[in-house]
């Protein structure tokens, strides 16, 4: 790829990001990079906030990203507000404001794992999709996400019989089952839409797939990311997408995704602690979008002495996520060109506080913002 074409676009709503976009390892550039007139493959961050919280209404949005190739869009995760951000970032097909639509551009979507911050607004696709353009697509949207974990192998049952689980006979449904459960739960609306408005059953325009792990791979919540080869998940004329297991223990399975287009490679870490599989998947990528947590912030969240619940939450934050201080080493080991921090915990930290933690990486570093667009 012609490196002179690697420029930063400032998309709708991101005009205030110039100083950040021009920053490199904490230093400020005099001005943002120039805006190219056309870029075929773009990374678009729809939201960058981590966790099952609205962050008191923070404009950071919930975790959701997109790869756009020409007019086609490929989504990664359905965090809070992804659909509004899709329009705000200019990903929708053009059309009059008075007429709903725009999601004709969505070709496929990928779910890294089934924590709420990654799927909380998935139902917007299932329930609004028929009005917002999916029926004008020639082929169904392809959705790929984690599969189910049988009850006897679930981390949640292993945590003890005293725990008051939801749906204990099937405590870890996968993406297909989650989707079918949502259809059942929203059947009043969907059936009204079918019978009163003449819309088709959503099975006609959404194809949902569980990502199948290779037979013989010894993976479980106790060993969530054994070394493995990347799994091919999806391919069309624009993009090839592969997945690899990452370590977000005890949440399992949790995936990272690699998108390869004619213009270059974009990798999404999903939620993970430092993970060799991710470093392998991201080798040589043009852009690595990696989650980040500020451990100083995490340790100050709860009063001392820690309650049982606070200790458990702090353990999750520190052991299942990636300390921003090791992101530079990860990006360097993966030999990526640009590191983008996203899934920010917290998303309210100043950029300088994130950038000052990145060490040992000579490439470009960008602190993610909602609607930020990077061109390959
Ligand atoms: Zn998350
Ligand atoms: Zn998670």
């Amino acid at each position: 790829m012609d490196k002179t074409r690697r420029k930063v676009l400032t998309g709708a709503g991101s005009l205030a990001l110039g100083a950040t976009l021009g920053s490199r390892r904490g230093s400020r550039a005099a001005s943002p990079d120039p805006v190219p007139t056309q870029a075929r493959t773009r990374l678009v961050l729809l939201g960058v906030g981590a966790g099952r919280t609205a962050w008191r209404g923070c404009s950071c949005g919930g975790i959701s990203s997109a790869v756009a190739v020409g007019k086609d869009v490929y989504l990664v995760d359905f965090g809070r507000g992804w659909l509004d951000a899709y329009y705000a970032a200019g990903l929708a097909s053009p059309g009059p404001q008075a007429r709903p639509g725009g999601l004709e551009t969505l070709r496929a979507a990928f779910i890294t794992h089934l924590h709420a911050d990654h799927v909380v607004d998935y139902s917007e696709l299932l329930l609004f999709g028929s009005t917002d353009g999916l029926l004008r697509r020639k082929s169904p949207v392809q959705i790929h996400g984690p599969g189910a974990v049988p009850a006897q192998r679930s981390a949640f049952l292993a945590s003890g019989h005293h725990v008051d689980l939801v749906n204990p006979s099937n405590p870890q449904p996968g993406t297909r089952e989650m989707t079918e459960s949502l259809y059942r739960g929203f059947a009043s609306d969907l059936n009204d839409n079918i019978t009163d408005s003449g819309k088709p059953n959503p099975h006609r325009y959404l194809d949902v797939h569980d990502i199948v792990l290779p037979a013989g791979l010894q993976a479980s919540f106790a060993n969530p990311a054994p070394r493995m080869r990347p799994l091919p998940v999806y391919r069309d004329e624009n993009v090839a997408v592969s997945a690899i297991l990452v370590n977000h223990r005890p949440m399992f399975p949790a995936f990272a995704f690699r998108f390869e287009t004619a213009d270059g490679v974009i990798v999404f870490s999903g939620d993970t602690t430092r993970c060799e599989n991710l470093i392998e998947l991201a080798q040589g990528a043009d852009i690595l979008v990696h989650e980040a947590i500020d451990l100083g912030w995490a340790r100050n969240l709860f009063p001392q002495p820690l309650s049982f619940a606070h200790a458990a939450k702090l353990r999750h934050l520190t052991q299942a996520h990636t300390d921003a201080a090791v992101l530079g080493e990860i990006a360097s080991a993966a030999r990526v060109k640009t590191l983008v921090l996203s899934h920010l915990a917290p998303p309210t930290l100043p950029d300088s506080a994130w950038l000052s933690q990145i060490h040992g990486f000579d490439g470009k570093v960008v602190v993610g913002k909602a609607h930020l667009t990077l061109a390959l």
Side-chain angles (χ1 to χ4, degrees):
M1 186 178 59
D2 178 1
K3 289 185 178 169
T4 62
R5 291 177 53 235
R6 183 186 312 290
K7 304 295 185 189
V8 178
L9 286 167
T10 50
S14 63
L15 295 177
L17 301 176
T20 301
L21 301 180
S23 296
R24 178 168 171 163
R25 306 183 68 195
S27 64
R28 294 173 72 93
S31 62
D33 294 340
V35 177
T37 53
Q38 277 295 333
R40 190 163 176 276
T41 300
R42 293 100 67 205
L43 163 71
V44 183
L45 303 183
L46 300 179
V48 298
R52 48 168 74 78
T53 167
W55 295 105
R56 296 176 182 255
C58 172
S59 59
C60 51
I63 185 68
S64 181
S65 314
V67 174
V69 184
K71 292 185 174 64
D72 291 326
V73 180
Y74 305 84
L75 205 59
V76 179
D77 288 332
F78 292 89
R80 184 175 61 88
W82 73 269
L83 184 54
D84 285 346
Y86 195 98
Y87 293 107
L91 292 174
S93 60
Q97 277 239 313
R99 180 183 171 206
L103 277 182
E104 297 92 329
T105 51
L106 181 62
R107 287 280 296 264
F110 304 85
I111 298 173
T112 57
H113 65 297
L114 297 178
H115 268 150
D117 49 331
H118 300 252
V119 292
V120 64
D121 281 351
Y122 179 48
S123 56
E124 283 193 310
L125 182 75
L126 311 186
L127 299 173
F128 286 7
S130 64
T131 306
D132 280 349
L134 296 188
L135 299 188
R136 289 194 283 276
R137 286 190 42 74
K138 290 190 177 69
S139 58
V141 177
Q142 303 297 312
I143 301 164
H144 296 264
V149 177
Q152 66 273 19
R153 293 176 52 207
S154 168
F156 309 136
L157 282 184
S159 61
H161 291 294
H162 62 284
V163 181
D164 185 14
L165 292 176
V166 169
N167 200 28
S169 64
N170 184 18
Q172 274 196 268
T175 304
R176 280 178 59 89
E177 284 184 272
M178 178 182 73
T179 307
E180 292 299 324
S181 296
L182 288 167
Y183 288 158
R184 282 195 294 276
F186 289 115
S188 293
D189 171 80
L190 291 168
N191 288 328
D192 176 68
N193 205 31
I194 291 167
T195 59
D196 194 42
S197 300
K199 296 286 176 61
N201 185 304
H203 291 103
R204 298 262 301 276
Y205 52 87
L206 297 169
D207 272 352
V208 184
H209 312 268
D210 287 346
I211 296 172
V212 178
L213 296 174
L217 183 70
Q218 298 296 315
S220 68
F221 71 87
N223 183 27
R227 298 307 300 273
M228 62 184 287
R229 299 181 68 81
L231 282 171
V233 169
Y234 174 89
R235 176 183 286 272
D236 65 20
E237 73 276 15
N238 292 326
V239 65
V241 182
S242 54
I244 208 163
L245 285 168
V246 290
N247 185 356
H248 192 38
R249 187 176 173 178
M251 182 52 96
F252 167 83
F255 292 105
F257 294 115
R258 176 183 176 104
F259 288 68
E260 300 187 18
T261 80
D263 304 311
V265 174
I266 302 173
V267 172
F268 299 88
S269 71
D271 284 15
T272 182
T273 189
R274 187 192 181 286
C275 181
E276 291 298 330
N277 276 354
L278 181 274
I279 291 172
E280 178 178 327
L281 189 76
Q283 278 300 315
D286 295 278
I287 299 176
L288 169 60
V289 182
H290 204 295
E291 71 129 274
I293 186 169
D294 179 61
L295 285 189
W297 164 83
R299 293 195 179 101
N300 283 321
L301 271 179
F302 309 113
Q304 299 286 342
L306 292 173
S307 67
F308 178 81
H310 286 167
K313 184 66 182 174
L314 184 58
R315 189 167 60 246
H316 168 80
L317 291 175
T318 56
Q319 296 182 5
H321 293 282
T322 302
D323 177 0
V326 303
L327 285 177
E329 181 262 320
I330 291 169
S332 183
R335 298 183 298 117
V336 303
K337 299 184 181 71
T338 297
L339 169 67
V340 176
L341 279 57
S342 189
H343 193 275
L344 302 173
T348 49
L349 215 58
D351 290 354
S352 57
W354 290 113
L355 294 169
S356 65
Q357 299 184 61
I358 310 299
H359 305 290
F361 176 56
D362 291 332
K364 185 166 189 158
V365 182
V366 175
V367 180
K369 296 280 185 297
H371 311 166
L372 172 71
T373 300
L374 297 175
L376 282 185

